[in-house]
Amino acid sequence: MAHSVHVERSIHEMLKDTPSMNESDNAVHTGTEASSSSPPFAPPNSLPLRNHSAPTTPMSPSSPQNGLDASLFRTGASKIDTIKNWSISTYKCTRQIMLEKLGKSQRTVDSELEAQIEQLRDTQRKYLSILRLARAFSSHFHHVVITQHALADAFADLAQKNPELQKEFNCNSESQRSLTKNGELLLNALNFFISSVNTLCNKTIDDTLLTIRQYETARIEFDAYRMDLENAKPDMPQSPIAEDIHKNYLQHKELYEKLRADVAIKMQFLDENRIKVMHKQLVLLHNAIAAYFSGNANALESTLKQFNIKLKTPNATTGSWLEQ
């Protein structure tokens, strides 16, 4: 009992000897001072307190949330208007096409321009036929050149193994190698011809035909709105519906006339470009084939140099990208 009393006194003495929290400067304070002289605790200004008992005020119309809702509403309304206008235009164009096929509606006709358009489409069909035949000729001739090259190698190999016929085998090997070299030159001329005609048919003419398709669509829309204007009630000339019909008619008439002018200009430039390109390519093809089959290797080489054609050997293997 006396021992426990002694321990309690020693603990009390140790607590008395320690410095107080307010007197130590280097101590880490965890807690609040309980003295009456300290100021009351104040919440920070950056975090405003909310009074849960106070009634909440609704958001103002200029709040970001309401602005976002308004923008979404406008976007949705614009999409609905776009779909509505597209549906009306599609219906009118489909009706106009059906009435034209049934002979119950008159279509706007530009005889001179439509004749030029039909001639252009016929020209493209014929050029595509030439392109298909030229590709077939190039493919077959490519196999001929490969066969001639293999035949030359076979003759050269037999010349080494047959001394009694070495002269004859070497003669045939050299002739086949000469034919192979000239055939490769002709293949380069054929590929250049095919590439140029392909660009003319599938890019240059197609670009003009795209404008022509837009012009034809504008013509159908113009005729559809023209028919609406003709069928409008004459006793209500100042009504909002009549004004809207007249406005749409003028708008589509302006678009139709603009595209018609664009088509006429594009077809004029296309015709000039087509004549220039085909003149060059036809001269190239004639000179190259004539020089090859007449055995005039010098004329064949000068023809390719005249048209700045790079020589490509069909039997050559492509090097790695490191070598290039």
Side-chain angles (χ1 to χ4, degrees), residues 36-82:
S36 59
S37 61
S38 62
F41 174 75
N45 294 329
S46 60
L47 296 175
L49 296 179
R50 178 181 177 186
N51 187 3
H52 294 279
S53 60
T56 58
T57 58
M59 299 179 67
S60 62
S62 61
S63 63
Q65 182 65 30
N66 289 347
L68 180 61
D69 293 341
S71 63
L72 290 176
F73 178 77
R74 287 194 298 269
T75 303
S78 63
K79 289 183 178 179
I80 292 174
D81 291 338
T82 302

mmCIF file of all heavy atoms in Angstrom, residues 36-82:
data_model
loop_
_atom_site.group_PDB
_atom_site.id
_atom_site.type_symbol
_atom_site.label_atom_id
_atom_site.label_comp_id
_atom_site.label_asym_id
_atom_site.label_seq_id
_atom_site.Cartn_x
_atom_site.Cartn_y
_atom_site.Cartn_z
ATOM 1 N N SER A 36 -9.757 31.795 -20.949
ATOM 2 C CA SER A 36 -10.878 32.683 -21.245
ATOM 3 C C SER A 36 -10.476 33.885 -22.064
ATOM 4 O O SER A 36 -11.304 34.569 -22.636
ATOM 5 C CB SER A 36 -11.533 33.156 -19.931
ATOM 6 O OG SER A 36 -10.548 33.841 -19.160
ATOM 7 N N SER A 37 -9.139 34.163 -22.144
ATOM 8 C CA SER A 37 -8.683 35.357 -22.879
ATOM 9 C C SER A 37 -8.576 35.125 -24.373
ATOM 10 O O SER A 37 -8.363 36.062 -25.113
ATOM 11 C CB SER A 37 -7.313 35.794 -22.332
ATOM 12 O OG SER A 37 -6.379 34.752 -22.525
ATOM 13 N N SER A 38 -8.665 33.866 -24.851
ATOM 14 C CA SER A 38 -8.509 33.585 -26.284
ATOM 15 C C SER A 38 -9.768 34.009 -27.019
ATOM 16 O O SER A 38 -10.874 33.887 -26.500
ATOM 17 C CB SER A 38 -8.237 32.097 -26.498
ATOM 18 O OG SER A 38 -9.332 31.346 -26.022
ATOM 19 N N PRO A 39 -9.610 34.503 -28.264
ATOM 20 C CA PRO A 39 -10.777 34.938 -29.041
ATOM 21 C C PRO A 39 -11.598 33.741 -29.493
ATOM 22 O O PRO A 39 -11.077 32.641 -29.616
ATOM 23 C CB PRO A 39 -10.169 35.666 -30.242
ATOM 24 C CG PRO A 39 -8.816 35.048 -30.403
ATOM 25 C CD PRO A 39 -8.352 34.707 -29.017
ATOM 26 N N PRO A 40 -12.915 33.931 -29.736
ATOM 27 C CA PRO A 40 -13.751 32.812 -30.163
ATOM 28 C C PRO A 40 -13.370 32.344 -31.571
ATOM 29 O O PRO A 40 -12.870 33.116 -32.379
ATOM 30 C CB PRO A 40 -15.164 33.397 -30.138
ATOM 31 C CG PRO A 40 -14.974 34.864 -30.296
ATOM 32 C CD PRO A 40 -13.688 35.177 -29.592
ATOM 33 N N PHE A 41 -13.629 31.055 -31.843
ATOM 34 C CA PHE A 41 -13.283 30.453 -33.141
ATOM 35 C C PHE A 41 -14.173 31.047 -34.241
ATOM 36 O O PHE A 41 -15.388 31.118 -34.075
ATOM 37 C CB PHE A 41 -13.458 28.930 -33.060
ATOM 38 C CG PHE A 41 -13.264 28.253 -34.384
ATOM 39 C CD1 PHE A 41 -11.983 28.097 -34.896
ATOM 40 C CD2 PHE A 41 -14.341 27.794 -35.091
ATOM 41 C CE1 PHE A 41 -11.805 27.465 -36.099
ATOM 42 C CE2 PHE A 41 -14.163 27.171 -36.299
ATOM 43 C CZ PHE A 41 -12.881 26.994 -36.804
ATOM 44 N N ALA A 42 -13.543 31.457 -35.354
ATOM 45 C CA ALA A 42 -14.288 32.032 -36.491
ATOM 46 C C ALA A 42 -14.059 31.169 -37.710
ATOM 47 O O ALA A 42 -12.924 30.797 -37.996
ATOM 48 C CB ALA A 42 -13.824 33.463 -36.769
ATOM 49 N N PRO A 43 -15.092 30.825 -38.461
ATOM 50 C CA PRO A 43 -14.919 30.003 -39.667
ATOM 51 C C PRO A 43 -14.213 30.799 -40.758
ATOM 52 O O PRO A 43 -14.286 32.024 -40.802
ATOM 53 C CB PRO A 43 -16.355 29.672 -40.067
ATOM 54 C CG PRO A 43 -17.166 30.775 -39.517
ATOM 55 C CD PRO A 43 -16.500 31.179 -38.244
ATOM 56 N N PRO A 44 -13.494 30.143 -41.660
ATOM 57 C CA PRO A 44 -12.792 30.852 -42.742
ATOM 58 C C PRO A 44 -13.782 31.474 -43.706
ATOM 59 O O PRO A 44 -14.884 30.966 -43.914
ATOM 60 C CB PRO A 44 -11.958 29.751 -43.408
ATOM 61 C CG PRO A 44 -12.667 28.484 -43.090
ATOM 62 C CD PRO A 44 -13.260 28.689 -41.717
ATOM 63 N N ASN A 45 -13.335 32.567 -44.336
ATOM 64 C CA ASN A 45 -14.206 33.286 -45.268
ATOM 65 C C ASN A 45 -14.356 32.577 -46.607
ATOM 66 O O ASN A 45 -15.300 32.818 -47.346
ATOM 67 C CB ASN A 45 -13.654 34.701 -45.505
ATOM 68 C CG ASN A 45 -13.713 35.534 -44.234
ATOM 69 O OD1 ASN A 45 -14.606 35.329 -43.411
ATOM 70 N ND2 ASN A 45 -12.753 36.445 -44.072
ATOM 71 N N SER A 46 -13.356 31.709 -46.951
ATOM 72 C CA SER A 46 -13.406 31.059 -48.257
ATOM 73 C C SER A 46 -14.430 29.956 -48.320
ATOM 74 O O SER A 46 -14.757 29.481 -49.393
ATOM 75 C CB SER A 46 -12.021 30.498 -48.606
ATOM 76 O OG SER A 46 -11.645 29.555 -47.612
ATOM 77 N N LEU A 47 -14.939 29.483 -47.198
ATOM 78 C CA LEU A 47 -15.940 28.425 -47.186
ATOM 79 C C LEU A 47 -17.181 28.944 -46.496
ATOM 80 O O LEU A 47 -17.302 28.867 -45.282
ATOM 81 C CB LEU A 47 -15.399 27.182 -46.457
ATOM 82 C CG LEU A 47 -14.199 26.478 -47.093
ATOM 83 C CD1 LEU A 47 -13.705 25.364 -46.197
ATOM 84 C CD2 LEU A 47 -14.602 25.926 -48.446
ATOM 85 N N PRO A 48 -18.110 29.528 -47.228
ATOM 86 C CA PRO A 48 -19.310 30.077 -46.584
ATOM 87 C C PRO A 48 -20.172 28.961 -46.034
ATOM 88 O O PRO A 48 -20.353 27.912 -46.648
ATOM 89 C CB PRO A 48 -20.019 30.810 -47.733
ATOM 90 C CG PRO A 48 -19.538 30.135 -48.971
ATOM 91 C CD PRO A 48 -18.127 29.718 -48.683
ATOM 92 N N LEU A 49 -20.677 29.218 -44.844
ATOM 93 C CA LEU A 49 -21.536 28.240 -44.186
ATOM 94 C C LEU A 49 -22.947 28.370 -44.718
ATOM 95 O O LEU A 49 -23.393 29.444 -45.107
ATOM 96 C CB LEU A 49 -21.512 28.454 -42.679
ATOM 97 C CG LEU A 49 -20.150 28.239 -41.994
ATOM 98 C CD1 LEU A 49 -20.272 28.517 -40.509
ATOM 99 C CD2 LEU A 49 -19.652 26.834 -42.224
ATOM 100 N N ARG A 50 -23.638 27.266 -44.756
ATOM 101 C CA ARG A 50 -25.009 27.251 -45.262
ATOM 102 C C ARG A 50 -25.955 27.007 -44.100
ATOM 103 O O ARG A 50 -25.757 26.081 -43.306
ATOM 104 C CB ARG A 50 -25.155 26.149 -46.309
ATOM 105 C CG ARG A 50 -26.566 26.037 -46.860
ATOM 106 C CD ARG A 50 -26.667 24.916 -47.863
ATOM 107 N NE ARG A 50 -28.034 24.774 -48.344
ATOM 108 C CZ ARG A 50 -28.433 23.801 -49.149
ATOM 109 N NH1 ARG A 50 -27.560 22.899 -49.548
ATOM 110 N NH2 ARG A 50 -29.699 23.738 -49.528
ATOM 111 N N ASN A 51 -26.933 27.821 -44.045
ATOM 112 C CA ASN A 51 -27.952 27.674 -43.018
ATOM 113 C C ASN A 51 -29.033 26.751 -43.550
ATOM 114 O O ASN A 51 -29.781 27.101 -44.458
ATOM 115 C CB ASN A 51 -28.535 29.051 -42.663
ATOM 116 C CG ASN A 51 -29.478 28.960 -41.473
ATOM 117 O OD1 ASN A 51 -29.633 27.879 -40.891
ATOM 118 N ND2 ASN A 51 -30.081 30.083 -41.102
ATOM 119 N N HIS A 52 -29.090 25.536 -43.024
ATOM 120 C CA HIS A 52 -30.024 24.540 -43.534
ATOM 121 C C HIS A 52 -31.461 24.886 -43.196
ATOM 122 O O HIS A 52 -32.381 24.390 -43.832
ATOM 123 C CB HIS A 52 -29.681 23.159 -42.954
ATOM 124 C CG HIS A 52 -28.357 22.646 -43.438
ATOM 125 N ND1 HIS A 52 -28.216 22.052 -44.664
ATOM 126 C CD2 HIS A 52 -27.131 22.697 -42.854
ATOM 127 C CE1 HIS A 52 -26.944 21.701 -44.831
ATOM 128 N NE2 HIS A 52 -26.269 22.077 -43.742
ATOM 129 N N SER A 53 -31.624 25.732 -42.209
ATOM 130 C CA SER A 53 -32.998 26.086 -41.848
ATOM 131 C C SER A 53 -33.574 27.171 -42.754
ATOM 132 O O SER A 53 -34.775 27.365 -42.820
ATOM 133 C CB SER A 53 -33.062 26.573 -40.400
ATOM 134 O OG SER A 53 -32.238 27.723 -40.245
ATOM 135 N N ALA A 54 -32.702 27.904 -43.479
ATOM 136 C CA ALA A 54 -33.169 28.983 -44.352
ATOM 137 C C ALA A 54 -33.708 28.401 -45.635
ATOM 138 O O ALA A 54 -33.192 27.407 -46.141
ATOM 139 C CB ALA A 54 -32.020 29.962 -44.644
ATOM 140 N N PRO A 55 -34.726 28.985 -46.221
ATOM 141 C CA PRO A 55 -35.276 28.464 -47.482
ATOM 142 C C PRO A 55 -34.321 28.717 -48.637
ATOM 143 O O PRO A 55 -33.649 29.741 -48.693
ATOM 144 C CB PRO A 55 -36.576 29.251 -47.651
ATOM 145 C CG PRO A 55 -36.340 30.527 -46.902
ATOM 146 C CD PRO A 55 -35.470 30.157 -45.723
ATOM 147 N N THR A 56 -34.254 27.750 -49.546
ATOM 148 C CA THR A 56 -33.365 27.872 -50.707
ATOM 149 C C THR A 56 -34.022 28.734 -51.770
ATOM 150 O O THR A 56 -35.220 28.635 -52.023
ATOM 151 C CB THR A 56 -33.069 26.483 -51.299
ATOM 152 O OG1 THR A 56 -34.305 25.876 -51.658
ATOM 153 C CG2 THR A 56 -32.370 25.604 -50.279
ATOM 154 N N THR A 57 -33.203 29.562 -52.409
ATOM 155 C CA THR A 57 -33.707 30.459 -53.451
ATOM 156 C C THR A 57 -33.514 29.788 -54.800
ATOM 157 O O THR A 57 -32.480 29.158 -55.050
ATOM 158 C CB THR A 57 -32.957 31.801 -53.418
ATOM 159 O OG1 THR A 57 -31.570 31.540 -53.594
ATOM 160 C CG2 THR A 57 -33.173 32.496 -52.088
ATOM 161 N N PRO A 58 -34.448 29.900 -55.705
ATOM 162 C CA PRO A 58 -34.285 29.284 -57.028
ATOM 163 C C PRO A 58 -33.189 29.981 -57.823
ATOM 164 O O PRO A 58 -32.862 31.139 -57.583
ATOM 165 C CB PRO A 58 -35.657 29.469 -57.666
ATOM 166 C CG PRO A 58 -36.246 30.656 -56.976
ATOM 167 C CD PRO A 58 -35.743 30.603 -55.556
ATOM 168 N N MET A 59 -32.630 29.221 -58.824
ATOM 169 C CA MET A 59 -31.554 29.770 -59.653
ATOM 170 C C MET A 59 -32.103 30.826 -60.587
ATOM 171 O O MET A 59 -33.228 30.727 -61.077
ATOM 172 C CB MET A 59 -30.888 28.655 -60.470
ATOM 173 C CG MET A 59 -30.253 27.577 -59.601
ATOM 174 S SD MET A 59 -29.502 26.285 -60.590
ATOM 175 C CE MET A 59 -28.201 27.209 -61.321
ATOM 176 N N SER A 60 -31.280 31.824 -60.846
ATOM 177 C CA SER A 60 -31.702 32.911 -61.712
ATOM 178 C C SER A 60 -31.706 32.443 -63.165
ATOM 179 O O SER A 60 -31.014 31.502 -63.524
ATOM 180 C CB SER A 60 -30.745 34.110 -61.559
ATOM 181 O OG SER A 60 -29.441 33.731 -61.947
ATOM 182 N N PRO A 61 -32.461 33.097 -64.034
ATOM 183 C CA PRO A 61 -32.489 32.677 -65.448
ATOM 184 C C PRO A 61 -31.145 32.781 -66.129
ATOM 185 O O PRO A 61 -30.913 32.138 -67.125
ATOM 186 C CB PRO A 61 -33.519 33.624 -66.074
ATOM 187 C CG PRO A 61 -34.352 34.105 -64.921
ATOM 188 C CD PRO A 61 -33.454 34.146 -63.737
ATOM 189 N N SER A 62 -30.224 33.624 -65.602
ATOM 190 C CA SER A 62 -28.918 33.771 -66.246
ATOM 191 C C SER A 62 -27.887 32.811 -65.701
ATOM 192 O O SER A 62 -26.707 32.987 -65.917
ATOM 193 C CB SER A 62 -28.426 35.227 -66.055
ATOM 194 O OG SER A 62 -28.296 35.508 -64.658
ATOM 195 N N SER A 63 -28.298 31.812 -64.946
ATOM 196 C CA SER A 63 -27.351 30.855 -64.387
ATOM 197 C C SER A 63 -26.801 29.970 -65.488
ATOM 198 O O SER A 63 -27.430 29.785 -66.533
ATOM 199 C CB SER A 63 -28.059 30.004 -63.323
ATOM 200 O OG SER A 63 -29.096 29.260 -63.909
ATOM 201 N N PRO A 64 -25.610 29.355 -65.293
ATOM 202 C CA PRO A 64 -25.022 28.513 -66.337
ATOM 203 C C PRO A 64 -25.888 27.328 -66.684
ATOM 204 O O PRO A 64 -25.937 26.902 -67.841
ATOM 205 C CB PRO A 64 -23.676 28.101 -65.728
ATOM 206 C CG PRO A 64 -23.378 29.125 -64.691
ATOM 207 C CD PRO A 64 -24.705 29.558 -64.158
ATOM 208 N N GLN A 65 -26.573 26.759 -65.705
ATOM 209 C CA GLN A 65 -27.388 25.586 -65.993
ATOM 210 C C GLN A 65 -28.527 25.930 -66.947
ATOM 211 O O GLN A 65 -28.799 25.203 -67.897
ATOM 212 C CB GLN A 65 -27.937 25.020 -64.670
ATOM 213 C CG GLN A 65 -28.761 23.756 -64.842
ATOM 214 C CD GLN A 65 -27.950 22.592 -65.367
ATOM 215 O OE1 GLN A 65 -26.758 22.525 -65.098
ATOM 216 N NE2 GLN A 65 -28.558 21.724 -66.156
ATOM 217 N N ASN A 66 -29.192 27.057 -66.690
ATOM 218 C CA ASN A 66 -30.265 27.466 -67.580
ATOM 219 C C ASN A 66 -29.748 27.832 -68.973
ATOM 220 O O ASN A 66 -30.407 27.592 -69.974
ATOM 221 C CB ASN A 66 -31.026 28.650 -66.988
ATOM 222 C CG ASN A 66 -31.856 28.231 -65.780
ATOM 223 O OD1 ASN A 66 -32.042 27.042 -65.550
ATOM 224 N ND2 ASN A 66 -32.328 29.197 -65.018
ATOM 225 N N GLY A 67 -28.551 28.430 -69.032
ATOM 226 C CA GLY A 67 -27.963 28.740 -70.337
ATOM 227 C C GLY A 67 -27.645 27.490 -71.128
ATOM 228 O O GLY A 67 -27.834 27.425 -72.340
ATOM 229 N N LEU A 68 -27.154 26.446 -70.417
ATOM 230 C CA LEU A 68 -26.871 25.175 -71.087
ATOM 231 C C LEU A 68 -28.147 24.539 -71.610
ATOM 232 O O LEU A 68 -28.188 24.027 -72.734
ATOM 233 C CB LEU A 68 -26.160 24.243 -70.111
ATOM 234 C CG LEU A 68 -25.776 22.855 -70.652
ATOM 235 C CD1 LEU A 68 -24.815 22.996 -71.818
ATOM 236 C CD2 LEU A 68 -25.151 22.008 -69.543
ATOM 237 N N ASP A 69 -29.207 24.594 -70.796
ATOM 238 C CA ASP A 69 -30.482 24.038 -71.240
ATOM 239 C C ASP A 69 -31.017 24.783 -72.462
ATOM 240 O O ASP A 69 -31.555 24.178 -73.399
ATOM 241 C CB ASP A 69 -31.509 24.109 -70.103
ATOM 242 C CG ASP A 69 -31.130 23.179 -68.940
ATOM 243 O OD1 ASP A 69 -30.322 22.269 -69.182
ATOM 244 O OD2 ASP A 69 -31.632 23.396 -67.824
ATOM 245 N N ALA A 70 -30.834 26.096 -72.472
ATOM 246 C CA ALA A 70 -31.316 26.882 -73.612
ATOM 247 C C ALA A 70 -30.537 26.545 -74.888
ATOM 248 O O ALA A 70 -31.109 26.434 -75.977
ATOM 249 C CB ALA A 70 -31.207 28.378 -73.308
ATOM 250 N N SER A 71 -29.205 26.368 -74.751
ATOM 251 C CA SER A 71 -28.403 26.013 -75.931
ATOM 252 C C SER A 71 -28.765 24.635 -76.446
ATOM 253 O O SER A 71 -28.840 24.416 -77.664
ATOM 254 C CB SER A 71 -26.912 26.074 -75.589
ATOM 255 O OG SER A 71 -26.596 25.113 -74.599
ATOM 256 N N LEU A 72 -28.991 23.696 -75.529
ATOM 257 C CA LEU A 72 -29.415 22.366 -75.958
ATOM 258 C C LEU A 72 -30.767 22.412 -76.646
ATOM 259 O O LEU A 72 -31.010 21.711 -77.632
ATOM 260 C CB LEU A 72 -29.469 21.421 -74.746
ATOM 261 C CG LEU A 72 -28.123 21.030 -74.130
ATOM 262 C CD1 LEU A 72 -28.336 20.190 -72.891
ATOM 263 C CD2 LEU A 72 -27.269 20.281 -75.144
ATOM 264 N N PHE A 73 -31.642 23.252 -76.149
ATOM 265 C CA PHE A 73 -32.969 23.387 -76.766
ATOM 266 C C PHE A 73 -32.853 23.965 -78.172
ATOM 267 O O PHE A 73 -33.509 23.498 -79.106
ATOM 268 C CB PHE A 73 -33.849 24.275 -75.885
ATOM 269 C CG PHE A 73 -35.214 24.509 -76.461
ATOM 270 C CD1 PHE A 73 -36.197 23.520 -76.399
ATOM 271 C CD2 PHE A 73 -35.523 25.723 -77.078
ATOM 272 C CE1 PHE A 73 -37.456 23.744 -76.944
ATOM 273 C CE2 PHE A 73 -36.777 25.939 -77.619
ATOM 274 C CZ PHE A 73 -37.753 24.943 -77.544
ATOM 275 N N ARG A 74 -31.985 24.975 -78.326
ATOM 276 C CA ARG A 74 -31.807 25.568 -79.649
ATOM 277 C C ARG A 74 -31.184 24.572 -80.616
ATOM 278 O O ARG A 74 -31.574 24.504 -81.784
ATOM 279 C CB ARG A 74 -30.944 26.834 -79.547
ATOM 280 C CG ARG A 74 -31.657 28.023 -78.922
ATOM 281 C CD ARG A 74 -30.884 29.302 -79.164
ATOM 282 N NE ARG A 74 -29.572 29.242 -78.549
ATOM 283 C CZ ARG A 74 -29.302 29.655 -77.318
ATOM 284 N NH1 ARG A 74 -30.276 30.167 -76.566
ATOM 285 N NH2 ARG A 74 -28.078 29.571 -76.827
ATOM 286 N N THR A 75 -30.197 23.782 -80.132
ATOM 287 C CA THR A 75 -29.572 22.778 -81.000
ATOM 288 C C THR A 75 -30.580 21.734 -81.440
ATOM 289 O O THR A 75 -30.638 21.345 -82.612
ATOM 290 C CB THR A 75 -28.405 22.112 -80.258
ATOM 291 O OG1 THR A 75 -27.474 23.102 -79.833
ATOM 292 C CG2 THR A 75 -27.704 21.101 -81.154
ATOM 293 N N GLY A 76 -31.396 21.275 -80.494
ATOM 294 C CA GLY A 76 -32.421 20.300 -80.849
ATOM 295 C C GLY A 76 -33.431 20.856 -81.825
ATOM 296 O O GLY A 76 -33.849 20.190 -82.772
ATOM 297 N N ALA A 77 -33.810 22.119 -81.625
ATOM 298 C CA ALA A 77 -34.778 22.741 -82.533
ATOM 299 C C ALA A 77 -34.195 22.906 -83.931
ATOM 300 O O ALA A 77 -34.885 22.698 -84.936
ATOM 301 C CB ALA A 77 -35.212 24.096 -81.976
ATOM 302 N N SER A 78 -32.904 23.276 -84.008
ATOM 303 C CA SER A 78 -32.289 23.430 -85.330
ATOM 304 C C SER A 78 -32.202 22.091 -86.049
ATOM 305 O O SER A 78 -32.397 22.022 -87.273
ATOM 306 C CB SER A 78 -30.899 24.046 -85.186
ATOM 307 O OG SER A 78 -30.043 23.184 -84.454
ATOM 308 N N LYS A 79 -31.905 21.020 -85.316
ATOM 309 C CA LYS A 79 -31.859 19.700 -85.953
ATOM 310 C C LYS A 79 -33.235 19.282 -86.448
ATOM 311 O O LYS A 79 -33.377 18.718 -87.537
ATOM 312 C CB LYS A 79 -31.314 18.665 -84.966
ATOM 313 C CG LYS A 79 -29.831 18.810 -84.670
ATOM 314 C CD LYS A 79 -29.347 17.726 -83.748
ATOM 315 C CE LYS A 79 -27.838 17.848 -83.478
ATOM 316 N NZ LYS A 79 -27.363 16.798 -82.566
ATOM 317 N N ILE A 80 -34.246 19.570 -85.657
ATOM 318 C CA ILE A 80 -35.605 19.238 -86.080
ATOM 319 C C ILE A 80 -35.992 20.027 -87.333
ATOM 320 O O ILE A 80 -36.592 19.483 -88.271
ATOM 321 C CB ILE A 80 -36.588 19.506 -84.929
ATOM 322 C CG1 ILE A 80 -36.345 18.508 -83.784
ATOM 323 C CG2 ILE A 80 -38.029 19.405 -85.418
ATOM 324 C CD1 ILE A 80 -37.159 18.790 -82.554
ATOM 325 N N ASP A 81 -35.598 21.304 -87.369
ATOM 326 C CA ASP A 81 -35.903 22.113 -88.558
ATOM 327 C C ASP A 81 -35.164 21.580 -89.788
ATOM 328 O O ASP A 81 -35.715 21.557 -90.897
ATOM 329 C CB ASP A 81 -35.514 23.575 -88.312
ATOM 330 C CG ASP A 81 -36.426 24.233 -87.274
ATOM 331 O OD1 ASP A 81 -37.543 23.724 -87.078
ATOM 332 O OD2 ASP A 81 -36.004 25.239 -86.665
ATOM 333 N N THR A 82 -33.899 21.148 -89.585
ATOM 334 C CA THR A 82 -33.134 20.600 -90.708
ATOM 335 C C THR A 82 -33.786 19.334 -91.250
ATOM 336 O O THR A 82 -33.926 19.156 -92.469
ATOM 337 C CB THR A 82 -31.695 20.297 -90.258
ATOM 338 O OG1 THR A 82 -31.085 21.497 -89.766
ATOM 339 C CG2 THR A 82 -30.867 19.759 -91.418
#
